[in-house]
Amino acid sequence: MTNNLELQGRISASPLTAAEHALAARMGLEELSPKRFLDAIIHPSADPSNTRFAKLSYMGSAALKMYITEYIYFKYPKLPVAPLTATIGEFYAHNVLFDVAQKYGVQKVVCRLPKNYLTDKTIACQSLLALIGALYWERGALACRQFILNNFCYRLSMNYNPLKHYYYVNSILSAHLRRLQKPRAEYSAMYIMGVYSGEEKLGEGFAPNEKQARRSAAMNALRQFYCVRVEEPDLPSSEDYSATPIEDPGVIFPKAGKEFIGN
């Protein structure tokens, strides 16, 4: 096992092994200086003197949250704060971080003590954040932003539902219609359930029973209003950004707590 003095010598001499070169190439980080790259993959459990790891990891975490928040905010400009917050949280969750780390093989290259109170998964996530921080530190905001867009934000599938955390959507739809001063929602009793405001059809849902069909119809009606997607959102961090008006979110959604139903 590599001891601390050897690791400190590696950082000061800045050599990269073949595996480390390969990781940098897979992640598109070849332009990082070897010293900064090693700062991000030598975990403090293996070398306590590497205090730069924590700072890079902190910076990477902050950059990740900032650019994910920006992307989701402008991708769904009508989405209220509570579902917006829940959606943003999904994209830098621990399992997502590990998926990205695993895709590149970070966990196979990071230097750590084999016996440690932190799991391999946690250390891989911390090292990935440190690599993102190193990218931000050396190559700037635009390069870091593009890496995050490519590896985190573009995971957003076409059929992703930002309101999936909410179960009692019927009451939210009623509040939405009251705000718009439209007639209350009425449901047609069939397995293919339609929801109407007066004669205007707001949405429809499909389910094996009436209760689920009503919920599905209400969910689809809300999605048509609040989950409008901007395919290529104009982001403030881009070079040619032009300010756009902030959308009125309308109904104040409750926090996804008791109503949370998972993925």
Side-chain angles (χ1 to χ4, degrees):
M1 183 178 65
T2 307
N3 61 39
N4 288 355
L5 290 176
E6 289 174 334
L7 288 172
Q8 291 173 29
R10 285 199 60 212
I11 292 178
S12 60
S14 301
L16 294 184
T17 66
E20 291 161 354
H21 273 297
L23 175 62
R26 288 194 299 271
M27 298 184 72
L29 304 180
E30 302 99 317
E31 294 184 21
L32 284 184
S33 66
K35 184 178 186 304
R36 191 67 63 221
F37 187 83
L38 289 173
D39 283 341
I41 64 166
I42 296 180
H43 194 267
S45 66
D47 180 10
S49 70
N50 184 18
T51 56
R52 295 169 296 278
F53 182 95
K55 295 189 72 173
L56 290 175
S57 184
Y58 180 85
M59 181 178 291
S61 177
L64 182 64
K65 291 178 182 178
M66 177 177 70
Y67 289 123
I68 287 176
T69 298
E70 177 191 61
Y71 183 81
I72 300 297
Y73 186 98
F74 286 89
K75 188 73 172 177
Y76 296 101
K78 290 188 174 184
L79 199 61
V81 171
L84 180 71
T85 302
T87 299
I88 290 168
E90 279 191 44
F91 283 81
Y92 58 80
H94 198 256
N95 63 314
V96 175
L97 280 170
F98 186 66
D99 283 347
V100 176
Q102 199 171 34
K103 179 178 77 171
Y104 290 115
V106 173
Q107 77 282 3
K108 297 178 180 178
V109 179
V110 63
C111 299
R112 62 180 294 272
L113 286 181
K115 292 184 179 180
N116 187 50
Y117 67 94
L118 295 174
T119 64
D120 290 347
K121 185 174 182 179
T122 297
I123 289 178
C125 292
Q126 290 177 349
S127 190
L128 175 63
L129 291 174
L131 287 165
I132 293 172
L135 180 62
Y136 187 92
W137 185 280
E138 284 207 344
R139 295 190 55 200
L142 289 179
C144 182
R145 169 181 171 271
Q146 194 58 50
F147 180 87
I148 291 169
L149 289 178
N150 290 342
N151 290 282
F152 292 88
C153 298
Y154 292 162
R155 297 163 63 96
L156 196 67
S157 63
M158 286 296 295
N159 59 354
Y160 179 80
N161 179 12
L163 302 181
K164 66 181 180 178
H165 304 284
Y166 292 87
Y167 186 79
Y168 299 104
V169 291
N170 304 76
S171 58
I172 298 174
L173 177 60
S174 297
H176 168 70
L177 293 176
R178 285 196 300 272
R179 176 183 171 274
L180 297 180
Q181 298 182 337
K182 289 188 173 184
R184 69 183 184 87
E186 296 180 0
Y187 298 84
S188 58
M190 53 184 174
Y191 291 115
I192 302 176
M193 185 75 73
V195 57
Y196 296 84
S197 174
E199 295 185 358
E200 179 186 358
K201 185 177 181 180
L202 304 176
E204 65 180 22
F206 304 84
N209 60 59
E210 181 180 346
K211 182 178 179 180
Q212 291 180 10
R214 287 169 64 90
R215 178 183 177 275
S216 177
M219 174 69 80
N220 289 331
L222 288 170
R223 287 183 67 181
Q224 288 188 44
F225 185 85
Y226 289 107
C227 301
V228 175
R229 290 170 59 105
V230 178
E231 291 307 318
E232 296 293 336
D234 188 12
L235 303 178
S237 60
S238 59
E239 293 181 289
D240 55 350
Y241 172 71
S242 57
T244 55
I246 298 176
E247 291 278 357
D248 178 6
V251 172
I252 303 299
F253 276 58
K255 288 185 178 180
K258 293 181 180 178
E259 298 172 336
F260 182 75
I261 58 173
N263 293 332

